[in-house]
Amino acid sequence: RIQSRGIKLQQEDIKKLGDAVEKAKDKGSKDALVLMGENAFVVSVKNNTVVTAMDKNMMKENVFTNIDSTILV
């Protein structure tokens, strides 16, 4: 999903995203919104999978549903 949306992540960003998912998992989250810089990721914590990825332009006037936690990175 990240590649199909043209979002470029450095290795450090991927690590931060993974760390955020681990924190969400530790808190019992199932589906989390990870806000990282100018990007947003909806992640299935249970499956360790990015479900949706958006850059700042795609986020405008968007509503995030089916999440139970938000992590700011």
Side-chain angles (χ1 to χ4, degrees):
R1 181 71 71 180
I2 294 169
Q3 291 175 343
S4 69
R5 296 282 171 97
I7 296 172
K8 301 202 187 297
L9 296 177
Q10 301 299 317
Q11 193 65 33
E12 179 182 321
D13 298 325
I14 294 169
K15 180 172 179 357
K16 287 179 184 178
L17 185 57
D19 291 346
V21 171
E22 283 302 313
K23 286 180 185 178
K25 186 182 287 186
D26 291 345
K27 295 288 185 177
S29 177
K30 294 179 182 156
D31 296 289
L33 171 64
V34 179
L35 298 173
M36 186 168 55
E38 296 182 344
N39 299 313
F41 306 92
V42 176
V43 180
S44 169
V45 176
K46 176 181 167 186
N47 298 322
N48 203 32
T49 304
V50 173
V51 177
T52 301
M54 294 178 228
D55 64 14
K56 68 179 181 179
N57 295 322
M58 292 179 213
M59 281 191 276
K60 291 181 181 175
E61 299 182 31
N62 213 329
V63 176
F64 296 95
T65 59
N66 298 325
I67 60 169
D68 58 19
S69 59
T70 301
I71 301 104
L72 302 173
V73 179

